[in-house]
Structure formats: C-alpha cells, structure tokens
Amino acid sequence: MRHSSFVLILFGILFLTACGSQAVEYEESTYSHFEDNKMIGNVWDVSTGRVEVDISEWEKRDRKGPNGTDEGYLYIAKVGEETTIKHEDGTEASIEDLKRGQKVLVTPPRGGSFEGTPEEIILLEMTYEEKYARLLSHVDGYNLVVMYEEGSTLPAELQESLYEEILDITDEEVVATWRPYDEEYVVDYKEELGIPEFPIMLVFDKEKLVYKTNDVEELYEFFEY
C-alpha cells in the first residue's frame, strides 16, 4: 500500500514538473521580436563624437519570460569619419540631428564589447506610442505627470502631497511621476501638447492626454467626477 502511494505521489510530481518545464519552454521573451543582426535602441545621450544608445530591449531579446529583467544596457557609439548617419528614408543626417529618445538602428551590432565605431546609424521613424511611452499610462487608470522646468522649485501643493490627495478622492487607479521638461528630447512636449507655462499637471490614459491644467483645484475636480 505504501509502495502504491509512493508511486502515485512520484508520478504527480513528475507530471507537474513536466508541465512546468513545458510552460517555461514555450514562454517567449517580451523582446523576442528583435533580430540579432539589427541592433535597435534609443539615444540616451549625445556629445562630441559620441552617442550613447540604450539597447536594453535588444540585449534581452533571448531572455525567457514576459517581462525580462530590470537591468539596462548602454552601447557607446564612437562616431568617426567612416560612420554614416542618415534618416530611414535615406536622406542624409548628422550627429546634431540625434535627440534623446530617438529610435536608431546601429550597424553592425555589438560584438563582445559595449562600445565601438559603427559603420552606420539610421534614425528610425517612431510611432505615437513610442514617442509618448514615458507619459502614457501603463495601468488601467491614469498617469499623472507633473512637468516642470529643470532647476525650478515646485510649490508645496505640487509635491508628493498632491498624489496623496488624488488617491483620497478617486476610485480610479492612478500613478504619478514628476518630470522636468527636456528641451533636447526627440519630442517637444511643450509645443505638441500646447503647454502655456510650467509647472503643469498632465493626465494621460493608455492612449492619449485626457486633461491638462496649471490649477490644482481644477485637477481635484477632474478626479472627483
């Protein structure tokens, strides 16, 4: 009797293990759409003769699991005379055209080092979602963005207490970020969003900007309804 019970338990363990292994085997990486021979990333910073490219997603293309891991990877592209820079449509570009956040294809892909002199850097067209990824909500509710001029001091009502007040008056899922306005970013949010002055409070859902205001009381009214 004990022998039979042991066999049944062992079979159960092996069955669950096999199922678990099978699930892992077929679980694809979030970044599996990246190709080995196409190192695509986003410009992190630009300086004289040097472009730092965030290749984190490309680097994780073979990782298993839906979310990958949190670490980031930068590739240092040393731009020399032999480096061609152009737009995706083939028109000529220069290092001055590269802005933070710009999606680029760097050729050839990195070898054993995270720096090198590429033959070519191509500025790729970006979708709306890619341009606004840092602002759009990644939860079912809203992303509240407090945008301000870098170096300025925010009034007390626009600091962390603002987010606490919002959570007290709404049942919606809300996250909040404080972000300085970046003049060197690939998207001029000030111009595209029609921002009259800073600081400003911007409310995004998963698809678009749904509300903006410079008035804290108006923001509270938005979340109360």
Side-chain angles (χ1 to χ4, degrees), residues 33-43 51-55 58 75 77 79 83-89 93 98-99 101-110 117-126 130:
H33 59 284
F34 285 94
E35 300 175 41
D36 291 347
N37 63 343
K38 293 183 178 180
M39 189 170 74
I40 293 174
N42 294 84
V43 174
V51 181
E52 297 180 16
V53 183
D54 180 357
I55 59 167
W58 180 84
Y75 176 79
V79 179
T83 304
T84 299
I85 303 177
K86 62 183 182 181
H87 295 281
E88 191 171 359
D89 62 7
L98 292 168
K99 301 289 186 181
Q102 173 66 54
K103 184 179 178 181
V104 293
L105 169 63
V106 181
T107 306
R110 79 172 191 86
T117 302
E119 296 173 7
E120 192 173 64
I121 299 176
I122 300 177
L123 284 69
L124 301 177
E125 294 294 326
M126 299 175 68
E130 288 171 333

